[in-house]
Amino acid sequence: MEPFNVFDPAFRADPYPVYARYRALEPVHRGRPPTPGEQATNCWYLFRYPDVAAVLKDPRSGRSIAPALDAPPPPVPPEEREPFWDMYAHWTLALEPPAHTRQRTLLNRAFTARVVEALRPSIVARAGQLLDNLPPHDHFDIVADFAFPLTLSVIAELIGIPQRDLDQVKAWSLTIAAVLDYKRTWDIMAAGNQMTRDFTAYLSGIVAQRRARPASDLISRLLLAAEGDERLGEEELIALCVMLLFAGHETTVNLISAGALLLLDQPQQLALFRTRPELVDPAIDEFLRLHSPIQATTRIAYADVFIGGRLVRRGESVILLLGSANRDPAAFPNPDRLDIARRPNRHLAFGRGIHYCLGAPLAVAQGGIALRALFEICPNWQPAAAPMWSDNFGFRGLASLPVVCAR
Ligand code: HEM
């Protein structure tokens, strides 16, 4: 088969027919060699549900390059260090046990189900405020005017970032999404490094305030939370705030807007969603399955392994196409059909294994509250223009979804 090309605009516009072809014809696929300036593309791509699910849980692969090397890599000279990657190295997702276990335990302790439950009233209030302030004629963009400000303000409140700084924080978050996309350029990397310096300076100020006067936010809780005598270092704490801010809203925006699009397109499913509150959580799972906000994630093989009959060698990268696995007909009957009552629905949109999404309960709660509020204020939204998908591949979502309320 021709090499799988994540840069193809047609693929980015609609990846699902492409996934279906590879699932059927070459589900374990070796990419083409990179052209100059591109990131490595000659990694493995996995398209089928069983392969993706198995690798997510397999300790013979992981997120860090170190276990795949015979000796530690030489240290990077100071002038070549990238502030963004130095910060990223502290992110939970970049770690392997035992460092991962230690950090995840600390985060779990500061990020309990009770914390998420306690946020519900403020999510409901914020969603209501945004919808009460609809622009004239109820003509608005579900992404820019609703999902983005809602999720950003919720995660900022959780972390302890003042609401007045959200415009700046939004710009930083967009830069992170660009750096983590597969189409990163040198300019984007430079912007990512500058963002890291600015965001770190900003968060240092907030951390200093919370040290002096603890509040009820996550920064204060993380400052207090300790595993034995091991507290988080300041650099690590700041990196985790940046990670949570980014992980906590970019993906949830995409869940809300994709859910809205799916319901707009299918009035019968919308009627079920509005009249049967017990279907809200299963509906969120179905939106996540059909339009997974994280379409792909990467693992590095720590040993030679056979996947789908092909030999993947130690040190090689494997791209797990969650968005393809979630539409595999072998795992989901009628995989392209929206069925908000689908049971079982063991989608992989939140991953699986040790890196399973920390924020899954918050994302599900927010998605449900947001979409209920949206269709409560107007049961009959109509598209005001064609929806536009963003050009990102790893983090896939709508860039805009303009609607008007037909009463
Ligand atoms: C719809 C929304 C979300 C989706 C689809 C999503 C998806 C994912 C996925 C697929 C992973 C695992 C990646 C891998 O194994 O390579 C992950 C991990 C993670 N997510 Fe989420 N996420 C969402 C919302 C959130 C929220 C709201 C937060 C925090 C407030 C969050 C924080 C994290 C963190 C910290 C990890 C790393 C966990 C670890 O390495 O142990 N996510 N997420």
Side-chain angles (χ1 to χ4, degrees), residues 56 63 91-95 100-101 103-104 107-108 111 155 158-159 218 240 243-256 284 288 291-299 320 322 347-364 366-367 395:
L56 282 171
R63 296 281 308 176
W91 287 18
T92 326
L93 197 51
L95 303 177
H100 174 269
T101 319
Q103 202 187 72
R104 184 75 198 229
L107 279 175
N108 287 345
F111 207 84
I155 192 69
L158 177 73
I159 294 173
L218 199 83
L240 290 185
M243 171 193 79
L244 287 171
L245 190 116
F246 174 70
H249 91 103
E250 187 72 24
T251 44
T252 315
V253 173
N254 296 341
L255 159 64
I256 295 170
I284 296 296
L288 287 165
H291 285 307
S292 305
I294 299 189
Q295 288 281 307
T297 185
T298 307
R299 292 293 184 271
L320 311 177
L322 305 176
H347 65 77
L348 300 174
F350 287 127
R352 195 165 275 185
I354 64 165
H355 293 289
Y356 181 80
C357 179
L358 172 81
L362 176 61
V364 171
Q366 258 193 105
F395 300 99

Side-chain angles (χ1 to χ4, degrees), residues 16 49 251-252 254-256 258-260 262-263 269 273 277-295 322-323 325-327 331-332 334-352 356-357 359-369 371:
Y16 304 113
Y49 183 96
T251 44
T252 315
N254 296 341
L255 159 64
I256 295 170
L262 287 164
L263 290 174
Q269 294 281 305
F273 183 80
E278 78 281 9
L279 289 183
V280 171
D281 282 3
I284 296 296
D285 280 323
E286 183 69 341
F287 305 149
L288 287 165
R289 184 186 73 77
L290 277 168
H291 285 307
S292 305
I294 299 189
Q295 288 281 307
L322 305 176
N326 283 337
R327 290 191 183 221
F332 303 98
N334 286 320
D336 297 327
R337 208 186 78 202
L338 172 71
D339 173 5
I340 67 166
R342 186 183 287 274
R343 277 283 182 258
N345 189 348
R346 288 175 49 76
H347 65 77
L348 300 174
F350 287 127
R352 195 165 275 185
Y356 181 80
C357 179
L362 176 61
V364 171
Q366 258 193 105
I369 292 170
L371 288 166

Side-chain angles (χ1 to χ4, degrees), residues 383-399:
M388 271 178 49
W389 289 92
S390 72
D391 190 36
N392 281 10
F393 154 63
F395 300 99
R396 186 162 195 271
L398 284 161

Side-chain angles (χ1 to χ4, degrees), residues 16 23 38 44 51 59 65-66 71 105 121 142 147 157 171 187 338 357 368:
Y16 304 113
R23 264 195 321 264
E38 275 182 1
W44 293 92
D51 295 333
I65 183 75
T105 309
I142 290 177
E157 177 188 333
D187 285 352
L338 172 71
C357 179

